[in-house]
Amino acid sequence: MTDLGIAIERMEQLKESIDIGYLCICAAFVLLMQVGFAFLEGGCLRYKDMQSIMLKIFMNTCVTIVIWWIVGYGIAFGSDSKEFVGSSVYIGFDMKNSKHLAEFAFQTAVASAATSIVSGGAAGRMTYIGYFILSVVFSSVIYPFCAHWGFGNGWLMKLGYHDYAGSGTIHASAGMGALMTTMLLKPRNQRFNPKYAEHFEPNNPIYITLACLSLWVCWCFFNGGSSLGIADGASVFMSRAIMNTFIAGASGALTVFFIFYLMNIDQTNRYSLVMICNGNLAGLVAITGPCDNVDAWAAFVIGILGGMMMVFANRVLFNLQIDDPVDAISIHFACGMLGANLVSWFDMDTGIVYGKGGYQFAVQMLGSFIYIGWSALIHLITLLFIDKIGFLRVTLEEEYEGLDLATMGCCAYEMVEQQQ
């Protein structure tokens, strides 16, 4: 081999090493999102249920990692992929190079985040065994097929469906799972009785804020890492994805901040720390799908639309008396559907705004409805089975006492009334 050939080979090895290192760092930060989810959901619930939801998130993280090693990653990203299902890389077989191992780590961390979204619908009233079964089904059947169709060179991807980091593939499908879960569980006792409204306020806005800010940081690695590398031009998509993640998160937060202020301008609670955090998350979910190929002004608009969608969905759910304890449905389902379909409007190559016609719109709509239909069907079957075997909902006595005390023997902390 000539000196030039040796130099080219070493350059290729260097590029691969850079991609692998970058992807491993992204995988670690995406896994760190579980900390954000744990404190976000723990802060949203009543103090007597904090440990229970954190246990569920820790448990579903471990379940997802094991399930994805056994079967999930193979279904989603098997190297001998067919249009509907992958057919290799089960139980870690055929992972023959470092790049493959790094991609497994990243995609497994992403799957763990997706599973945690469903936990929002189970918060405060689902048994641990029931949620364990639901996590197994979501991480082995529901999400892997969604990931294959949209990310793994499946049939939707071949039709032209574009969802860069997963507004529809991840957030809408998992958000639909949260919706189905909370509907079958039914609301927490007295949730919509005005007399007890203050009992269901978030117990720790500080936890929620710290969680939201940490999620925003990790989201940059989530969206940026979806380039699966930074060599051979991928750095353009990575850097644009991160920039747009910054912008949409900020515009979503500010939108909800001002909407909430205007809706409560004559009230003492006209500002809300929790709602500005929710607006931030709404903007992040909405930009996740189109983040790689929209301009900065479009990211700003998408964040605004995400914030508006979250407020609208939140109000609709409340009026329908659908108990969404951590706003998982209004943020992930509603804004995930929005973000997946805004690709067809703002994508610089195929968007309607750029005069590219309506084909992309039709494909995005098709993909979105396929995802929510698939998720709704399998969740319904699973939840009915869990209910049949008696592990769906905790007893009324356990719910009243609080899952922490009833199932763990202690609360995360005690609420003590100060004497004047």
Side-chain angles (χ1 to χ4, degrees), residues 177-407:
L179 175 60
M180 295 301 297
T181 302
T182 197
M183 288 183 69
L184 267 73
L185 282 168
K186 297 183 173 54
R188 290 166 290 175
N189 188 43
Q190 304 292 346
R191 170 64 183 90
F192 294 103
N193 186 339
K195 180 180 177 181
Y196 298 98
E198 64 179 20
H199 293 191
F200 296 92
E201 292 294 321
N203 84 88
N204 200 319
I206 307 305
Y207 279 6
I208 295 171
T209 304
L210 292 174
C212 181
L213 290 171
S214 68
L215 283 169
W216 197 357
V217 172
C218 294
W219 222 294
C220 294
F221 291 89
F222 187 101
N223 288 353
S226 295
S227 64
L228 302 181
I230 54 178
D232 293 327
S235 60
V236 174
F237 300 106
M238 177 270 293
S239 55
R240 185 184 290 130
I242 293 175
M243 176 191 72
N244 288 336
T245 302
F246 272 60
I247 294 171
S251 63
L254 291 173
T255 297
V256 175
F257 172 81
F258 285 112
I259 289 176
F260 189 86
Y261 172 77
L262 293 173
M263 290 174 63
N264 299 275
I265 195 167
D266 296 325
Q267 308 297 320
T268 56
N269 65 332
R270 55 187 176 273
Y271 300 109
S272 172
L273 184 56
V274 174
M275 288 302 288
I276 195 172
C277 289
N278 282 351
N280 172 259
L281 295 173
L284 293 174
V285 170
I287 197 60
T288 296
C291 64
D292 67 313
N293 205 37
V294 297
D295 213 340
W297 68 266
F300 181 76
V301 172
I302 289 169
I304 292 173
L305 294 174
M308 294 171 65
M309 174 61 81
M310 190 279 298
V311 174
F312 172 74
N314 189 279
R315 181 54 53 186
V316 169
L317 290 169
F318 186 84
N319 289 338
L320 294 174
Q321 295 196 353
I322 296 175
D323 189 6
D324 186 11
V326 302
D327 295 320
I329 302 164
S330 55
I331 292 172
H332 296 282
F333 173 64
C335 297
M337 286 285 288
L338 176 71
N341 289 285
L342 288 179
V343 170
S344 61
W345 288 88
F346 295 110
D347 188 280
M348 290 186 287
D349 295 328
T350 61
I352 295 173
V353 169
Y354 297 91
K356 302 296 182 178
Y359 177 78
Q360 193 67 44
F361 177 78
V363 173
Q364 296 301 125
M365 288 293 292
L366 172 65
S368 298
F369 284 109
I370 288 294
Y371 284 143
I372 64 173
W374 171 255
S375 179
L377 175 63
I378 306 302
H379 272 102
L380 177 61
I381 294 171
T382 306
L383 289 162
L384 289 175
F385 169 75
I386 294 170
D387 189 28
K388 185 70 174 178
I389 62 176
F391 287 111
L392 184 62
R393 182 162 177 154
V394 300
T395 65
L396 187 61
E397 291 76 16
E398 289 174 325
E399 184 181 338
Y400 178 78
E401 186 177 11
L403 298 187
D404 288 3
L405 193 60
T407 63

Side-chain angles (χ1 to χ4, degrees), residues 10-67:
R10 288 180 177 175
M11 183 62 69
E12 291 299 321
Q13 292 173 349
L14 177 60
K15 288 194 295 184
E16 182 177 357
S17 296
I18 292 172
D19 281 347
I20 291 168
Y22 170 72
L23 201 53
C24 287
I25 292 171
C26 289
F29 273 92
V30 173
L31 187 61
L32 196 61
M33 293 180 83
Q34 301 302 85
V35 177
F37 283 125
F39 277 83
L40 177 71
E41 297 188 18
C44 286
L45 294 180
R46 295 173 290 185
Y47 79 95
K48 59 185 180 180
D49 294 324
M50 283 184 66
Q51 287 187 92
S52 71
I53 193 61
M54 291 188 175
L55 173 59
K56 287 172 181 171
I57 290 173
F58 204 117
M59 178 176 66
N60 75 227
T61 303
C62 298
V63 166
T64 303
I65 291 171
V66 173
I67 291 294

